[in-house]
Amino acid sequence: MKSPRKTPLKLEDVKAESCTFDSRMKILHDLPFFKKISREEIHNVNNVFSDTKCNIDEVIYREGERSTRLYVIASGSVKLIKQNFDGKEVLIDILKQGEFFGNLDPFGETFYDETAIAQVSSCIMIINSEQFRTILEKYPAASLKVLDIMSKRLREAQEMIKLLSAYSVENRVAYTILKLGEKLGNPNKLGLLIQIPLSRYDIAGMTGTTPETTSRIISKFKEEGLISTGRKWTVIKNINRLKEKVKI
Amino acid sequence: MKSPRKTPLKLEDVKAESCTFDSRMKILHDLPFFKKISREEIHNVNNVFSDTKCNIDEVIYREGERSTRLYVIASGSVKLIKQNFDGKEVLIDILKQGEFFGNLDPFGETFYDETAIAQVSSCIMIINSEQFRTILEKYPAASLKVLDIMSKRLREAQEMIKLLSAYSVENRVAYTILKLGEKLGNPNKLGLLIQIPLSRYDIAGMTGTTPETTSRIISKFKEEGLISTGRKWTVIKNINRLKEKVKI
DNA sequence: CGTATAGTTGATTTGGCTCAACATCGGTGG
DNA sequence: CCACCGATGTTGAGCCAAATCAACTATACG
């Protein structure tokens, strides 16, 4: 059963970049909502952002804190977590380079309703919500792009509601791995490689189940040759047969 | 146990209004995103909308159909439904007067990912997604308002993901009734009256459970004096004690 | 007033949770 | 470089919340 553990991951691959001026400019320029803005204007926008380096597992903000800031991932990845009354963690989303999180509302009298944690060492750019809205008011096309991103996230959240309401844990785990592959995967001779540390506990939090049940299902998928996993990576070996596990 | 059935609802209350010019203008003017637009401009906007009357249980659009339109509820209410592979219904949202649904994306090559059904006789205003985006580009403040609405919906969807992932059915049913009360309730001598036809099947679809389990829980809540219900209404009699049923 | 639809309630089954013991991994210090 | 150890993952056994199946009752509506 046990195949020799050949990690497909060179550790250097996930070393965090520092937030250089050039990398920040490139990130901003590549953001879907700033695509049509000129280089000089991007330069101005860049000046409104500050940035910070976050180590792995570092908390960026905590559920319930006053919220006045919007964050953009310059490099790395971030997970958004909610907790229920007795401490069980629900993993709401995993965000990658170029995605934003935090608070879009202006004038701050609201609170973060999730906790943001760096999943790997990351560089995060920070802007005041109000300033971000000022930028959006200035560039209506950017506003619409942000709106599209929010629509997409809402669609995805509603799809997860459907899965949690009317699908088995096995369906949900398969769906979640496929979605992660789509979003974060890199094709590779072994299959589709997802290079993030993803514990059984994380997957359980994304699928509304327990680490034990997750482990059983992942073991089954491995036995069936659908995926293989290590502590810091997952490979989808047979995407079509994995898709058969999700009846949507 | 059984209390005499005195319906707190006059049936005339839910008779659908027709889509008169005046009511349309009023709806548009009251939309959060058009609040700051002048009367003449609203008049122009109004000309871009068409409207239609929908009877109770009439399907407005179906999951999977090509989508190019955005809808605004002028009067009545609409439920959004998804179905799983074996036909089980998941009720994603209930929308009321002034709320929009359908597709915000332009140029149509996408598909509705839910089915919209009139929950009561309703008047629905219709606009082409592309035309709506043109309006938003013209009024950046309106764009930001729409963005706020989408943010709120995303927050609510993520909250429901948390509930489905980490709370009991009883918690979820209590939460759902409270949310409906907040959104659709009218204070009344009996408590907070929710005047919509809400079957056990509907509540089951909103909470990821079955009609039977819903019935048991609703019966329990009734026995405890928290709520009372008829086929077309629900009253929250003791909102504080109902809140104790949801540990958030 | 009769019939179809929706709701209730009970009995039984079951998917997945909990609790528990053990295995494996990978980082750390000797 | 290897041995150790805490953290993470795996596997088994038993249990429980909620699903399913089924019989029955209440309600609305023609």
Side-chain angles (χ1 to χ4, degrees):
Chain A
M1 204 55 43
K2 300 270 181 297
S3 54
R5 289 289 149 81
K6 272 270 182 113
T7 173
L9 168 70
K10 295 191 230 70
L11 273 179
E12 300 89 305
D13 291 350
V14 287
K15 196 165 51 181
E17 289 163 38
S18 51
C19 294
T20 62
F21 176 85
D22 280 350
S23 73
R24 281 177 50 147
M25 284 295 284
K26 184 169 162 29
I27 292 298
L28 286 177
H29 194 264
D30 287 350
L31 286 178
F33 34 99
F34 291 154
K35 269 273 157 59
K36 289 185 182 161
I37 298 180
S38 72
R39 201 165 170 78
E40 307 84 72
E41 284 176 312
I42 290 281
H43 199 296
N44 294 333
V45 167
N46 182 45
N47 291 331
V48 184
F49 279 90
S50 63
D51 66 48
T52 181
K53 174 96 169 44
C54 295
N55 291 317
I56 184 165
D57 287 335
E58 194 175 322
V59 172
I60 300 163
Y61 58 74
R62 215 173 275 279
E63 188 175 352
E65 286 174 5
R66 271 274 148 75
S67 66
T68 54
R69 311 204 293 181
L70 186 89
Y71 302 81
V72 175
I73 304 176
S75 72
S77 82
V78 168
K79 53 186 178 185
L80 303 182
I81 285 171
K82 280 173 174 261
Q83 279 187 293
N84 84 340
F85 62 100
D86 62 2
K88 189 177 174 184
E89 286 190 357
V90 179
L91 208 166
I92 290 295
D93 208 351
I94 291 180
L95 304 175
K96 64 172 182 175
Q97 190 177 80
E99 292 193 286
F100 64 84
F101 60 100
N103 195 345
L104 267 170
D105 297 350
F107 312 125
E109 280 308 313
T110 45
F111 302 87
Y112 294 117
D113 39 29
E114 74 279 329
T115 298
I117 298 178
Q119 198 176 21
V120 296
S121 295
S122 304
C123 175
I124 311 293
M125 298 173 56
I126 304 167
I127 188 172
N128 189 292
S129 313
E130 201 184 330
Q131 289 175 311
F132 188 70
R133 288 176 83 94
T134 308
I135 294 173
L136 292 186
E137 277 185 22
K138 195 168 161 195
Y139 305 105
S143 252
L144 286 177
K145 274 289 176 200
V146 172
L147 198 50
D148 290 340
I149 292 166
M150 295 301 280
S151 299
K152 181 161 182 257
R153 287 187 189 176
L154 180 59
R155 270 200 302 280
E156 287 168 352
Q158 289 175 341
E159 191 67 12
M160 186 48 77
I161 288 173
K162 183 178 93 176
L163 280 146
L164 289 165
S165 297
Y167 288 78
S168 70
V169 174
E170 182 172 306
N171 290 154
R172 274 142 42 197
V173 172
Y175 174 85
T176 299
I177 294 172
L178 283 166
K179 278 284 159 187
L180 286 171
E182 227 173 75
K183 180 167 181 174
L184 305 167
N186 298 113
N188 170 295
K189 59 179 176 295
L190 294 170
L192 191 59
L193 169 65
I194 303 164
Q195 272 188 34
I196 48 168
L198 204 61
S199 69
R200 298 291 172 265
Y201 199 89
D202 287 330
I203 298 177
M206 297 181 82
T207 53
T209 184
T210 57
E212 293 95 326
T213 299
T214 305
S215 178
R216 281 179 242 269
I217 288 169
I218 297 275
S219 297
K220 189 159 162 274
F221 287 172
K222 282 168 144 178
E223 272 177 39
E224 295 176 30
L226 305 180
I227 61 173
S228 62
T229 70
R231 298 216 173 185
K232 291 188 171 165
W233 53 271
T234 304
V235 174
I236 301 175
K237 287 161 69 180
N238 192 324
I239 197 161
N240 290 324
R241 277 180 46 226
L242 187 56
K243 277 180 185 165
E244 286 167 21
K245 296 276 173 189
V246 206
K247 300 276 185 311
I248 300 279
Chain B
M1 205 55 42
K2 301 268 181 298
S3 55
R5 288 290 147 81
K6 273 273 181 108
T7 172
L9 168 70
K10 293 189 232 68
L11 273 179
E12 301 89 304
D13 291 352
V14 287
K15 196 165 50 181
E17 288 163 38
S18 52
C19 294
T20 62
F21 177 83
D22 281 350
S23 71
R24 282 178 49 149
M25 283 295 284
K26 183 169 161 32
I27 293 297
L28 287 177
H29 193 264
D30 287 349
L31 286 179
F33 34 99
F34 291 154
K35 269 274 156 58
K36 290 185 182 160
I37 298 180
S38 73
R39 203 168 166 78
E40 307 84 72
E41 285 176 312
I42 290 281
H43 199 297
N44 293 333
V45 167
N46 181 45
N47 290 332
V48 184
F49 280 90
S50 63
D51 65 48
T52 180
K53 172 94 168 45
C54 295
N55 292 318
I56 185 166
D57 287 334
E58 194 176 323
V59 171
I60 300 164
Y61 59 75
R62 217 174 275 277
E63 188 173 353
E65 285 174 5
R66 272 273 147 74
S67 66
T68 55
R69 310 204 294 181
L70 186 89
Y71 301 81
V72 175
I73 303 176
S75 71
S77 81
V78 168
K79 53 186 177 184
L80 303 183
I81 284 170
K82 279 171 174 262
Q83 280 187 293
N84 83 340
F85 63 100
D86 63 1
K88 188 176 175 186
E89 286 190 358
V90 179
L91 208 166
I92 289 294
D93 209 351
I94 291 180
L95 303 175
K96 63 172 183 177
Q97 189 177 81
E99 292 193 286
F100 64 84
F101 59 100
N103 194 346
L104 267 170
D105 297 351
F107 312 124
E109 279 308 312
T110 46
F111 302 87
Y112 294 117
D113 40 30
E114 75 278 329
T115 297
I117 299 178
Q119 197 176 23
V120 297
S121 295
S122 304
C123 174
I124 311 293
M125 298 171 58
I126 303 167
I127 188 172
N128 188 291
S129 314
E130 201 184 330
Q131 289 176 310
F132 188 70
R133 289 175 82 93
T134 308
I135 295 173
L136 292 186
E137 277 185 22
K138 196 168 158 194
Y139 305 105
S143 251
L144 287 176
K145 274 288 177 200
V146 173
L147 197 50
D148 289 340
I149 292 166
M150 295 300 279
S151 299
K152 181 160 182 257
R153 287 186 189 176
L154 180 60
R155 270 200 301 279
E156 286 168 353
Q158 289 175 341
E159 191 67 13
M160 186 49 78
I161 289 172
K162 182 177 93 177
L163 279 146
L164 289 165
S165 297
Y167 288 78
S168 71
V169 174
E170 182 172 307
N171 290 154
R172 274 142 42 196
V173 171
Y175 174 86
T176 299
I177 294 172
L178 284 166
K179 277 285 159 187
L180 286 171
E182 226 174 74
K183 180 168 180 173
L184 303 167
N186 297 113
N188 169 297
K189 58 179 176 295
L190 295 170
L192 192 59
L193 169 64
I194 303 163
Q195 274 187 32
I196 47 167
L198 204 61
S199 69
R200 298 291 172 268
Y201 200 89
D202 287 330
I203 298 176
M206 298 181 83
T207 53
T209 182
T210 59
E212 294 94 325
T213 299
T214 305
S215 178
R216 280 178 241 271
I217 288 169
I218 297 276
S219 297
K220 189 159 162 273
F221 287 172
K222 282 167 144 178
E223 273 177 37
E224 295 176 31
L226 305 180
I227 62 172
S228 62
T229 71
R231 295 214 176 184
K232 291 189 171 164
W233 52 272
T234 303
V235 174
I236 301 175
K237 287 162 69 180
N238 193 326
I239 198 162
N240 290 325
R241 277 180 46 226
L242 187 56
K243 277 180 185 166
E244 286 166 21
K245 296 276 173 186
V246 205
K247 301 278 187 311
I248 301 279

